[in-house]
């Protein structure tokens, strides 16, 4: 191409490219206007665009109840099945032949009979010894449910933790 022809073609090609580019561009956005759909619950009017908040933890901690048991959905069952390890005090151990039972007092002041393999809300009775009841407690952790052994000693009604 000659320099004269190049001088004519180059401005025309630039003109064509600049005239096509604004047709593809989005409409200009006025300052102060909101873009996209907004969440009505959001006070700041931030548009999430369907994305999650990067500052919120993906691992949601469970809230412990006052007795120290991890909160589960729904109400607790009544009776022994609704009591946690932290709720009971061992008030007596009874041996009759080869069978041993324990008397536990709940936070409501009622007494419950414990036998080996009885289930509580978050534990199971593993064994009943001369002065202690051994329970296997299920504890929720971020990695799953773990089992740990808890020893509840015999306590007379007037000693520690009572009313």
């Amino acid at each position: 191409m000659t320099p004269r022809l190049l001088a004519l073609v180059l401005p025309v090609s630039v003109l064509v490219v600049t005239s096509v580019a604004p047709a593809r561009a989005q409409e200009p956005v006025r300052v102060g206007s909101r873009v996209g759909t907004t969440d009505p619950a959001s006070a700041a009017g931030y548009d999430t665009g369907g994305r999650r908040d990067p500052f919120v933890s993906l691992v949601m901690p469970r809230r412990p109840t006052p007795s120290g048991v991890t909160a589960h959905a729904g109400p607790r069952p009544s009776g022994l099945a609704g009591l946690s390890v932290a709720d009971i005090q061992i008030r007596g151990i009874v041996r009759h032949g080869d069978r041993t039972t324990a008397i536990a007092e709940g936070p409501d002041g009622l007494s419950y009979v414990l036998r080996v393999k009885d289930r509580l809300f978050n534990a199971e009775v593993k064994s009943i010894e001369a002065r202690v009841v051994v329970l296997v407690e299920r504890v929720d952790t971020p990695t799953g449910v773990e089992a740990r052994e808890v020893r509840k000693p015999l306590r007379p009604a007037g000693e520690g933790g009572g009313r």
Side-chain angles (χ1 to χ4, degrees):
M1 278 189 156
T2 63
R4 190 171 186 204
L5 185 60
L6 187 59
L8 286 174
V9 173
L10 188 59
V12 172
S13 64
V14 171
L15 181 61
V16 170
V17 170
T18 57
S19 65
V20 173
R24 292 185 190 164
Q26 295 178 354
E27 294 180 11
V29 178
R30 293 188 354 230
V31 175
S33 65
R34 293 185 181 173
V35 179
T37 60
T38 58
D39 182 13
S42 174
Y46 173 72
D47 176 24
T48 63
R51 299 177 303 268
R52 70 170 189 85
D53 186 353
F55 299 104
V56 174
S57 175
L58 292 174
V59 179
M60 298 305 249
R62 293 188 180 142
R63 295 184 198 147
T65 60
S67 64
V69 178
T70 304
H72 295 283
R76 284 188 181 192
S78 62
L80 184 62
L83 296 176
S84 69
V85 173
D87 292 340
I88 63 169
Q89 295 290 325
I90 305 302
R91 298 298 182 204
I93 295 178
V94 180
R95 291 189 157 213
H96 186 265
D98 59 342
R99 293 184 3 214
T100 305
T101 57
I103 309 299
E105 183 179 353
D108 52 3
L110 295 177
S111 296
Y112 300 91
V113 177
L114 298 177
R115 294 175 189 87
V116 176
K117 296 187 180 180
D118 277 352
R119 290 190 170 269
L120 281 72
F121 182 69
N122 65 338
E124 183 178 325
V125 179
K126 180 179 178 182
S127 66
I128 301 173
E129 299 171 5
R131 302 204 43 89
V132 70
V133 175
V134 181
L135 301 134
V136 177
E137 183 179 22
R138 295 177 309 277
V139 181
D140 290 334
T141 63
T143 58
V145 178
E146 293 180 6
R148 68 176 177 193
E149 195 172 278
V150 177
R151 300 174 69 82
K152 295 289 265 186
L154 174 64
R155 294 195 174 177
E159 181 183 322
R163 295 178 306 252

